[in-house]
Amino acid sequence: KNNEDDKVVEHSDETPEPGSLLSGGFDETINVFNLQKHNQTGELKTPNDLGSPLCCSFAPPSSSSTSPSTHALVGLTSGKVVLYKKRDWSVQHVLSGHDDGGVQCLAVHPTGRMALTGGRDGKIILWDLMKGRLAFVHKLPSRGKGKGRKETVNHIIWSDDGNRYAFCYGTKITARDVTSGEDLLDVDLPGRVNQL
């Protein structure tokens, strides 16, 4: 066990690629599993007072990259995103940009160089993972009679080539071109959309 700054509770020197899975819960723990060996290879604690993990992903995502993942991103109830180095599971960056409502979803670009997060604060944030900083914020329109209620971004995804992304909130689905910023699809469905 390693209790250095409560970052890593226990870990294995095994490289969790390929066939790895991250799992997070309200106990502020992130579990790492090796699907090929059918076992748990590590357990992390979120940094002090940053909340519980709500979403997580490897960077670059193993499904869209030929190179192995070197980092993991975790979105927390505090609205922060933690970027871990997989080599030793140390915290490389703690990214701030969402309100205390939490980071509802995240999607790592196929290159692993940037990521999008969606929050309960109605923001979609583009992160520069190479520099560990916020690159762009898009605020969704508020809803309700007084327009005071913020929309929750329920899910966000990148296209396989990384040239487009899509997100959903409330009853809406939007797909956008990265270069032009043009909406390729913007539809309002009769019921709530939870996932793309």
Side-chain angles (χ1 to χ4, degrees):
K1 292 197 175 194
N2 176 355
N3 289 321
E4 180 183 321
D5 297 325
D6 288 327
K7 291 182 220 164
V8 178
V9 173
E10 108 187 21
H11 73 278
S12 166
D13 290 330
E14 270 182 73
T15 303
E17 283 295 333
S20 296
L21 176 76
L22 291 176
S23 156
F26 283 105
D27 60 354
E28 300 184 3
T29 301
I30 303 149
N31 297 296
V32 183
F33 296 93
N34 182 316
L35 300 178
Q36 291 180 335
K37 294 187 177 183
H38 308 283
N39 65 2
Q40 184 174 348
T41 58
E43 180 180 279
L44 310 167
K45 278 295 213 185
T46 60
N48 290 335
D49 301 323
L50 291 185
S52 298
L54 293 174
C55 51
C56 51
S57 179
F58 288 113
S62 55
S63 60
S64 60
S65 176
T66 55
S67 55
S69 300
T70 56
H71 293 78
L73 271 80
V74 179
L76 303 169
T77 54
S78 63
K80 307 264 193 273
V81 177
V82 179
L83 180 62
Y84 289 96
K85 293 180 196 174
K86 278 179 46 181
R87 180 180 65 242
D88 58 4
W89 294 106
S90 62
V91 174
Q92 183 170 351
H93 296 290
V94 176
L95 307 171
S96 299
H98 288 285
D99 297 345
D100 289 341
V103 179
Q104 181 71 19
C105 54
L106 63 85
V108 178
H109 190 270
T111 62
R113 295 176 169 270
M114 57 185 150
L116 287 166
T117 56
R120 294 180 178 169
D121 56 2
K123 294 179 189 173
I124 296 171
I125 297 179
L126 176 66
W127 300 99
D128 179 336
L129 299 180
M130 303 306 290
K131 295 180 181 177
R133 65 184 180 130
L134 187 147
F136 180 78
V137 178
H138 172 72
K139 292 182 183 179
L140 299 175
S142 296
R143 64 182 164 125
K145 290 182 182 175
K147 298 283 187 183
R149 290 193 60 195
K150 295 177 182 170
E151 290 283 0
T152 296
V153 181
N154 293 320
H155 197 216
I156 195 160
I157 57 172
W158 287 98
S159 62
D160 289 341
D161 61 9
N163 292 327
R164 295 166 304 284
Y165 64 95
F167 57 94
C168 61
Y169 62 98
T171 58
K172 295 189 72 90
I173 298 174
T174 302
R176 196 165 279 160
D177 182 81
V178 172
T179 305
S180 69
E182 177 186 349
D183 284 350
L184 304 172
L185 176 72
D186 191 27
V187 296
D188 200 349
L189 300 175
R192 178 182 157 98
V193 182
N194 292 322
Q195 191 169 10
L196 301 171

